[in-house]
Structures are given as structure tokens and as C-alpha cells.
Amino acid sequence: MIYLFTHSYPYARRGEVFLHDEMLSARALGLADRIRFVPLRKEAGAETPDPSAARFQTEAGLLDGGWGRRLRLLCGMLFQARFWRMPADFPPVLPRVRCLKQGIKYFYAAWAYADWIRRHRRRLQPGDTLYSYWAHYNVLGMALAREKGWLPAGLRCVSRGHRYDIYEEAVGRYFPYRRFSLAVLTGLYPCSRNGADFLKGRYPEMAGRIETAYLGVRPLGADDVARRQALRPPQGVCRVVSCALVSPVKRLPSLMRSLAAFANQLPEGTVLEWHHFGGGAGLSALQAEAAVTPAARFNIVWHGQTDNARLRETYLSIYFHAFVHVSESEGLPVSFMEAFAAGIPVVATDVGGSGELVRAGGGALLPKDFTQAEFDAALQAVLQAGEAAREAAYAGYQACFSAETNYTAFYRRLFE
């Protein structure tokens, strides 16, 4: 049995939606009766489970049982010596007040998972796997349970790693007792080679247990492939697309200004049309800036927060010349994979695992702190490559980022 520790999935609509394709693949492999979800809490507004989780078993959210359960967990946490020793563990590169706030939050969530293991330790069998989708408080919970003697012998503990749960200090995060936590793992699977190399360098004692495991997106059907191939570039329009939460790390105002400057250089009679998918707290401010951004031939289409099915349907209905992304930090963006699956080449900053994706699927890379000239050259290169760039993007998807291929290999590894 695999017990899959998540933050909210299958009761998630935003933060863990990329588990959707993994679970569809797991279900196709006949694993519906061998995976059980253990979420921390339901995401606000997600009262029904994601359809991909149909037929899987799901525990109640560990923090969704009312104030009585939360108070019991809080009292249990306060009696742990490790909780009070946290200040000695704070990394010197982060402000101590931030570490204190994050440390309390993450230790509390970790204790909820340690307590779950305590309560279910008689159910857990040798050969079972505790699988954490994030390498943070879930893993600390496993380590605390082992320290207490609650982790049964023969149980495997594994975790994926994405972005902030790999480069925690670089993105301003503090995870309590990091080395102590990771030591409980029999396997740690970052979603990029960049992340794997970073972790191996930082925790050399873990090197033999760290292995890259790419995420993936589901393939297009035969009819979808035909629709993609039938799309033709529009006359007089250069159309680009982006998909990201509007937050500071994604640097969407910078992207908008770069696109506006690029539009001013297009030939007379050609318009640059930017489609953006994604909401977030910063969307209103971005739209307000867009209203006063000068560009003679620059149009913006705001799609807002969009479910995955509608996003991918749009990719098959509208010809996009390029997917553009200028984030200052990344793990391995699933949004790139979705673009590749539709044959859309990517222009992106070379941060985190982004370079791995773009090199696999053609496209063009930018320095993290790019100039307008570098942005113009990268986008122009993709435009000039035309259909060759689109075919390279789709070939990169087939070779490296197919959900069927990657998740089949991952679950075989878990059941070895």
C-alpha cells in the first residue's frame, strides 16, 4: 500500500492540480486500490475530490476535524523537546522572526503527520510506502514518528521535491531540522536534474538515495494530434501565451513590458497578441498597469484562473507562436510540458529546471536577469524557426515528459 501525503489533494483546485495526470496514470496502471491519500486539509472551495482521484481511498484532512483535534495536536507539539530547540536550528541567512513563524507552522503540520502514523501504526505493514508529495513538513512528520518509535520496521519513506521544498533558503523558507528530516527517506525524487544536483551537493550523505523523477502530462489523443497539426499561423498576428499565478516570483509585469517593447518593433500591420492564463492576488495590479502600458500594436487577452481541461483545449484551438515565461525561480514547470504537448515552443528564463525542459523541447533560453535585446533575440529566433520549433517542442514532450512513460517508471520504482 502507498500512503500519499499531500497538502490538500484530492481536495485541491490550484496548488496540487498537477497530481491530476499522475493519478490518471496510476489508475491506468491498476493502482486505485493500492494508493490512499492522506491530505493535511481541504483547499478552500474544494469540497469535492478531483475526478482523477475517483476510486482511490482518501483519509479525512488531518486538520479538518474541528478545534478539538487541532487543540490536541497543539498540546502534543508543545510537549516535544525538538519544538523548543528549533531556534538553535535556524539558518543564519534568514531573519529569525521569519524562521520562528515558519518553524511553528511547519512543525505543527509535521506533528499532525507524526500523530497520524502513531494512530495507524498497526495498520501499516512491512513493504508499505509513505510517499510525501513535498519534501517539507510531511517528511519531518515521518522523521519525528521514527524518533518516537512509531514507524514500523520495513516501511519505506519516499518523497518528491519540486521548487521551494528543494531550494528552501534561496526562496526564503525555513524547514525545521532539514538534515534530520531527510535522513528518514529511503528515496528522494526531485523533479529536475538541477534539483537533484543541488540536494546531492548539500546533503552528500543522501546522494545514493536521490534520483531525478520527471513529472509528466497526459498525451494528446489521435484526434487532438490531428487538430494540432491542422492549426495554421494567423496573418498579421504574432500570438504568444503564458500560464502562471500572478505573484512576484513570476515577474509578469516585467514580461508584459518586454512584450510591449517587442511589439513596437514588429513590421507595420502586425499585432502582438498576448494571452495570459492564471489569477492571483497580483492580477488586478497587473491589469491596471496594462491599461497604461504604451504599445501601438499590443493586445492582451486575460483568461484568468482556468481549469486544466479548458487550458489544453485552448492550446488545440488557437495557434500560438510561443509560450513565454520569465520567472526568477522554478522547479520543473508543468506549464511548459502542457505547452510542448500542444507543440508550442517555449521562451523562458534559465532558472531551476526550466533549462532542462527548454533544451529538451527546443525553444530559447534567457538569462535570469535578461536585457530587452536578449528577450527580443530569443523570441525572434523561435518565430523564425516556425513549424520546426513547434515540431521540436512536441518531440521533446514525447521523449521526456509523457505522463504515461514517467509515472509508469516512477510507480514501478516504488513497488520494486
Side-chain angles (χ1 to χ4, degrees):
M1 193 74 178
I2 294 177
Y3 296 91
L4 178 46
F5 293 176
T6 67
H7 182 76
S8 298
Y9 194 88
Y11 297 98
R13 295 294 179 268
R14 292 174 61 182
E16 291 171 321
V17 292
F18 30 82
L19 259 165
H20 178 93
D21 284 358
E22 178 171 338
M23 289 303 105
L24 289 177
S25 298
R27 204 164 69 193
L29 291 168
L31 301 179
D33 61 344
R34 300 184 70 182
I35 296 176
R36 189 179 187 93
F37 297 110
V38 186
L40 184 68
R41 57 159 61 95
K42 290 182 179 179
E43 186 179 289
E47 297 305 316
T48 57
D50 184 87
S52 67
R55 300 202 305 271
F56 288 91
Q57 304 169 63
T58 303
E59 298 271 336
L62 301 186
L63 300 184
D64 289 336
W67 285 106
R69 176 184 291 184
R70 296 185 186 190
L71 184 60
R72 180 179 59 79
L73 288 172
L74 178 63
C75 291
M77 179 186 75
L78 293 176
F79 276 96
Q80 304 310 307
R82 275 196 179 272
F83 174 76
W84 298 103
R85 294 201 305 265
M86 263 198 305
D89 182 63
F90 291 169
V93 297
L94 296 178
R96 292 183 69 81
V97 172
R98 181 187 303 173
C99 290
L100 181 62
K101 291 179 179 177
Q102 293 179 352
I104 293 172
K105 171 184 174 183
Y106 287 124
F107 201 103
Y108 177 63
W111 186 248
Y113 275 100
D115 182 70
W116 181 90
I117 294 170
R118 177 190 65 80
R119 291 185 287 112
H120 293 85
R121 62 187 183 276
R122 289 182 176 82
R123 177 207 294 178
L124 303 174
Q125 300 295 318
D128 284 350
T129 299
L130 301 184
Y131 164 23
S132 174
Y133 200 68
W134 304 94
H136 52 30
Y137 55 78
N138 302 340
V139 177
L140 176 58
M142 298 177 195
L144 291 171
R146 183 175 70 170
E147 186 174 55
K148 291 289 185 181
W150 300 335
L151 206 61
L155 199 71
R156 293 185 298 173
C157 298
V158 304
S159 179
R160 284 195 182 273
H162 300 272
R163 182 183 71 88
Y164 82 99
D165 54 339
I166 294 177
Y167 316 100
E168 76 270 22
E169 291 173 12
V171 295
R173 299 279 183 162
Y174 163 61
F175 299 128
Y177 301 111
R178 188 65 158 164
R179 184 167 259 107
F180 164 78
S181 299
L182 296 183
V184 76
L185 297 175
T186 52
L188 176 55
Y189 301 101
C191 68
S192 69
R193 287 194 298 271
N194 183 281
D197 291 343
F198 175 85
L199 288 168
K200 288 177 181 179
R202 185 156 193 180
Y203 307 102
E205 71 278 12
M206 287 281 298
R209 288 176 276 167
I210 296 173
E211 184 179 349
T212 303
Y214 281 149
L215 304 180
V217 295
R218 65 189 185 279
L220 300 174
D223 291 343
D224 293 334
V225 172
R227 289 175 62 195
R228 178 185 69 81
Q229 293 173 335
L231 289 175
R232 293 292 178 264
Q235 296 297 313
V237 178
C238 172
R239 190 179 288 132
V240 299
V241 62
S242 59
C243 178
L245 186 71
V246 185
S247 64
V249 71
K250 302 301 182 182
R251 300 196 296 190
L252 285 160
S254 176
L255 173 60
M256 180 174 63
R257 291 189 288 269
S258 296
L259 288 171
F262 183 83
N264 288 328
Q265 303 173 29
L266 290 173
E268 192 68 34
T270 301
V271 173
L272 179 64
E273 186 176 284
W274 174 34
H275 290 243
H276 179 70
F277 291 87
L283 180 59
S284 296
L286 182 64
Q287 291 173 325
E289 182 177 341
V292 297
T293 297
R297 297 184 298 277
F298 182 36
N299 297 329
I300 304 175
V301 181
W302 304 105
H303 293 270
Q305 191 65 35
T306 306
D307 64 46
N308 186 260
R310 181 182 157 205
L311 171 74
R312 298 193 72 181
E313 174 61 26
T314 305
Y315 285 175
L316 294 170
S317 305
I318 299 176
Y319 188 104
F320 290 106
H321 292 84
F323 181 100
V324 287
H325 192 83
V326 298
S327 177
E328 66 179 358
S329 175
E330 281 297 343
L332 197 80
V334 173
S335 59
F336 290 18
M337 302 177 198
E338 292 167 339
F340 288 153
I344 304 172
V346 172
V347 175
T349 43
D350 188 3
V351 294
S354 296
E356 296 169 40
L357 280 158
V358 175
R359 292 184 189 97
L365 286 169
L366 294 164
K368 177 181 176 181
D369 299 310
F370 59 90
T371 64
Q372 183 64 43
E374 289 169 330
F375 181 88
D376 294 346
L379 184 52
Q380 195 62 251
V382 168
L383 297 179
Q384 290 174 351
E387 287 304 308
R390 290 175 64 83
E391 291 306 316
Y394 187 65
Y397 157 73
Q398 289 181 304
C400 300
F401 307 113
S402 162
E404 289 181 347
T405 301
N406 293 353
Y407 295 134
T408 297
F410 181 71
Y411 279 98
R412 281 179 178 165
R413 195 176 300 145
L414 293 190
F415 282 112
E416 284 175 353

